[in-house]
Amino acid sequence: MDIIQTVEQALRQSGADVTSIGKSVCGNDILCAHRGDYGGKQVIITAAIHARECYTALVALRQLADFRPTRGGAYFVPLVNPDGAAFFESGNTFGHSFLSANAHMRKRWKANADGVDLNCNFDANFGSGAQQSKLAPAAHGFVGEYPLCAPESKALATFTSTVMPAATVSYHCMGGELYWQFFQDDARLARDEALAAAIARRIGVNKVDGELDSAGGYKDFCVQRLRIPAVTIELIKRGAHPFGPSDYADDIEANADLPQFILDYIYGG
């Protein structure tokens, strides 16, 4: 069973409310599951925005399976980049010419089917990131022609703006680190750092302070445009790409109850 099928089956069997927040370049649904009270505070969990990090989806699926909130709710978007994930995992190009022409690059692939790095395509200091050097579609690092030009990033930005959650979490790999900062003012800086520190302690990763070289990321968009706390969590503390499903086993366990932990924190214990 491939990663798209794994996600689809897990969501169908979860008993949660499942919908699609949009379509990918190749027409795959970007599926989302919700569990809990829609009227309370919400958390959004996203994973697999980068193709070669597609098995971060397994963390979100475990969280969904375990999540039984006493108050509030959580939305889970396990596979933001389904086209890229399938291409990385099995070489499936869905007949897309750009992917087909780059089959030799699939184990290094981070972008969507059009060669846009989705985590550089959000409207937050767009195009100014230190690692964004590609000027044309590529396996990684191309920001796109303009903010939210990719259907996947546009769908996620629209969805998040509609929900207006209390916090968001975005899973990546690797490094065992947590990023949270993006030019917050003093009041929001203290608020966001406190939540980031609590999450980092809970799951056993290093909270990175003063890192402002990123731009156009989902976390950056949430912090700058929506003014809510958001964290990017880099799973797997050491190793080298490509990683397989078993490499995430420890992180799946460490993060299993994180949505409930965040809601409890936001509600004040």
Side-chain angles (χ1 to χ4, degrees):
M1 186 182 302
D2 64 29
I3 189 62
I4 291 180
Q5 293 172 324
T6 297
V7 169
E8 289 176 346
Q9 179 173 297
L11 296 192
R12 283 198 308 270
Q13 295 176 350
S14 69
D17 296 335
V18 178
T19 188
S20 172
I21 66 169
K23 297 280 190 179
S24 68
V25 170
C26 296
N28 286 299
D29 281 309
I30 304 168
L31 295 177
C32 174
H34 180 270
R35 200 189 297 279
D37 174 15
Y38 285 99
K41 296 182 185 298
Q42 305 295 313
V43 175
I44 293 178
I45 308 291
T46 70
I49 199 168
H50 282 150
R52 70 183 188 184
E53 300 162 19
C54 62
Y55 300 121
T56 56
L58 302 177
V59 177
L61 293 180
R62 170 62 181 276
Q63 291 173 338
L64 172 63
D66 288 1
F67 186 57
R68 296 294 185 275
T70 55
R71 51 189 171 174
Y75 292 88
F76 301 85
V77 188
L79 203 58
V80 177
N81 184 5
D83 302 349
F87 179 58
F88 162 81
E89 184 181 52
S90 66
N92 188 346
T93 67
F94 303 101
H96 193 277
S97 59
F98 187 73
L99 292 180
S100 298
N102 286 277
H104 61 291
M105 294 286 288
R106 72 180 183 88
K107 287 300 182 182
R108 298 171 56 189
W109 206 261
K110 295 176 71 175
N112 74 349
D114 284 339
V116 175
D117 190 323
L118 298 177
N119 209 42
C120 304
N121 190 235
F122 290 86
D123 186 13
N125 293 11
F126 176 77
S128 65
Q131 304 300 317
Q132 299 168 4
S133 58
K134 301 295 190 300
L135 301 178
H140 59 84
F142 176 55
V143 302
E145 297 295 338
Y146 53 87
L148 305 180
C149 66
E152 299 91 348
S153 54
K154 183 176 182 180
L156 184 56
T158 300
F159 169 71
T160 307
S161 299
T162 300
V163 171
M164 279 303 297
T168 69
V169 175
S170 184
Y171 282 109
H172 292 252
C173 79
M174 59 167 284
E177 296 175 329
L178 180 149
Y179 295 89
W180 62 277
Q181 201 167 351
F182 198 71
F183 304 101
Q184 293 97 321
D185 57 31
D186 290 344
R188 290 191 300 124
L189 188 73
R191 177 200 67 182
D192 294 2
E193 182 176 12
L195 176 59
I199 294 172
R201 287 193 299 269
R202 181 71 175 188
I203 64 176
V205 299
N206 178 46
K207 177 174 71 74
V208 178
D209 300 330
E211 174 54 65
L212 298 174
D213 288 337
S214 70
Y218 177 61
K219 175 263 293 178
D220 308 331
F221 167 79
C222 292
V223 169
Q224 187 177 81
R225 297 298 178 185
L226 305 185
R227 301 176 70 82
I228 58 175
V231 298
T232 294
I233 298 173
E234 298 280 354
L235 304 175
I236 304 181
K237 293 180 179 179
R238 60 188 60 87
H241 289 283
F243 294 106
S246 63
D247 294 313
Y248 291 89
D250 291 344
D251 290 303
I252 290 170
E253 294 300 324
N255 287 265
D257 69 346
L258 189 61
Q260 187 62 60
F261 174 82
I262 294 173
L263 282 173
D264 289 343
Y265 180 96
I266 291 169
Y267 273 108

